[in-house]
Amino acid sequence: MKIKTAKRNIIALIITAAVYLIVSLLNRAGIVTSYYLQLIVTSCINVCMTVSLNLVNGFTGQFSVGHAGFMAIGSYVAGYITTELIPQSALSGAFQIPIFILALIAGGVVAGIAGALIGLPTLRLRGDYLAIVTLAFGEIIRAIIRLIPAVGGARGMSGIPRYSSLLIVLIITVIIVVLCRNMVNSAPGRACVSIRENEIAASCLGVNTFKYKMMVFIVAAVMAGVAGGLYSHALSYTQPDLYSFTKSCDYLVFLYAGGTASLTGSVISAFVLTFLPEVLRFLSDWRMAIYALLLIIIMLRLPNGLFGGKEIPFMRCRNYRLKEDSAKQ
């Protein structure tokens, strides 16, 4: 199993290098403009968010609807570090990227702490409590940020250095996807899948359901915090309204359109649904109506999403089937 994992990780590195090389060459040739380069970076950040949300909603069977709140925390923490604490002007070129990486880690850690504080009182409960609390959490975070003058308050924080290059974002995206895949294939991952299938039965068999739900929730929050740091350093700007409930709903749409418990579905749907509104831009005011119509058709024709729990060989997880698939067997 370790040899298989090592081979898959090597394949991930080769794919990353190949994608970066191809996109860079197309960019130099003028085929991929800076606009589409920014779209690719945004798509990669959306992949990070969707895959991390899949750990909670897809593989563990919980229902978090305030994922953008963790993204906001990571965005502001990382942005404050690189803009106010250690500004770009105070660093030589050699130290800018290491400081950026440390800022991303700090943003992820603070988001993880927030995830732990939310998870402690709510993950012991069953049902819709987590959805309600995470929804409230996302709105509370926005309200708190608006009251902090040090980070720009309601007008937001500008002048954030553009450290989120294609290479950095691509590497971090692949690391997050590989970590999620390896986690699902591990013993804790199988415990999470058992919780999703039947939490009471898993508890009776000795699975510490609260421990594993907490672990997954914190890991997902950390990943969302890192993605938030990438996001603010890609836009060179961050503002509370960027992380509204609508933003959380976008990631839920990406997740359920691609298929819960499918990392492949999360990756492909995040890319496709990020590019689709831009592809339909020539339709002017009709593009969002057609975008919504396509999503409705997907949900009606494919209720389990585009991939329905399936994976391509490289992304395959040991336990990925949905309840509906298990019932058929």
Side-chain angles (χ1 to χ4, degrees):
M1 182 56 66
K2 288 183 178 179
I3 295 175
K4 274 188 177 181
T5 302
K7 284 182 179 179
R8 288 179 176 180
N9 292 342
I10 291 171
I11 291 172
L13 291 174
I14 294 172
I15 291 173
T16 305
V19 170
Y20 175 71
L21 183 61
I22 291 169
V23 174
S24 297
L25 291 174
L26 292 174
N27 180 242
R28 289 184 180 181
I31 298 172
V32 175
T33 63
S34 58
Y35 170 72
Y36 285 107
L37 207 61
Q38 183 70 19
L39 268 181
I40 293 171
V41 169
T42 304
S43 299
C44 288
I45 294 169
N46 289 341
V47 167
C48 295
M49 290 295 295
T50 308
V51 167
S52 63
L53 184 62
N54 203 353
L55 285 179
V56 179
N57 289 30
F59 289 102
T60 314
Q62 306 305 299
F63 191 55
S64 172
V65 297
H67 213 50
F70 300 115
M71 188 183 192
I73 292 174
S75 173
Y76 271 91
V77 170
Y80 185 76
I81 290 173
T82 57
T83 306
E84 300 294 334
L85 289 184
I86 313 174
Q88 187 177 13
S89 57
L91 298 171
S92 63
F95 290 99
Q96 289 176 0
I97 299 305
I99 292 298
F100 175 47
I101 299 300
L102 289 175
L104 292 178
I105 293 171
V109 169
V110 175
I113 292 171
L117 293 175
I118 293 168
L120 279 171
T122 58
L123 289 173
R124 295 183 185 276
L125 305 172
R126 296 187 178 93
D128 300 326
Y129 294 100
L130 183 63
I132 296 169
V133 172
T134 51
L135 171 60
F137 163 75
E139 296 305 306
I140 290 170
I141 288 297
R142 288 175 58 216
I144 291 174
I145 290 172
R146 288 174 179 274
L147 299 175
I148 303 177
V151 294
R155 75 175 184 277
M157 182 188 296
S158 59
I160 300 173
R162 288 184 179 270
Y163 288 150
S164 292
S165 65
L166 174 64
L167 180 60
I168 292 174
V169 172
L170 197 59
I171 289 173
I172 292 176
T173 300
V174 172
I175 288 172
I176 287 177
V177 172
V178 169
L179 285 175
C180 288
R181 187 204 64 201
N182 292 346
M183 183 175 178
V184 174
N185 281 330
S186 67
R190 294 193 291 276
C192 291
V193 173
S194 71
I195 293 170
R196 180 196 71 197
E197 295 299 322
N198 194 318
E199 186 173 346
I200 296 174
S203 181
C204 291
L205 290 172
V207 176
N208 189 335
T209 57
F210 174 71
K211 169 188 169 183
Y212 288 113
K213 286 194 292 184
M214 272 293 294
M215 178 189 70
V216 166
F217 196 68
I218 292 171
V219 169
V222 170
M223 291 178 177
V226 172
L230 291 173
Y231 190 59
S232 61
H233 287 82
L235 296 179
S236 190
Y237 171 76
T238 189
Q239 200 262 349
D241 290 339
L242 291 175
Y243 312 100
S244 64
F245 175 63
T246 304
K247 191 74 168 177
S248 294
C249 287
D250 287 342
Y251 297 125
L252 288 170
V253 169
F254 294 165
L255 172 61
Y256 288 100
T260 56
S262 171
L263 296 177
T264 305
S266 295
V267 172
I268 292 178
S269 68
F271 266 97
V272 171
L273 296 180
T274 301
F275 272 86
L276 188 58
E278 303 306 319
V279 172
L280 298 175
R281 188 172 287 277
F282 71 95
L283 295 172
S284 187
D285 295 339
W286 285 95
R287 67 189 181 97
M288 293 313 296
I290 293 173
Y291 176 74
L293 181 63
L294 288 172
L295 290 176
I296 292 171
I297 292 171
I298 291 173
M299 291 294 99
L300 290 176
R301 301 294 298 176
L302 299 166
N304 290 336
L306 291 173
F307 282 80
K310 297 180 177 63
E311 305 280 8
I312 59 175
F314 165 68
M315 299 285 287
R316 188 161 292 152
C317 301
R318 190 178 294 177
N319 291 292
Y320 60 83
R321 292 189 180 275
L322 299 172
K323 288 182 179 180
E324 291 82 358
D325 297 332
S326 301
K328 291 178 183 177
Q329 295 176 349

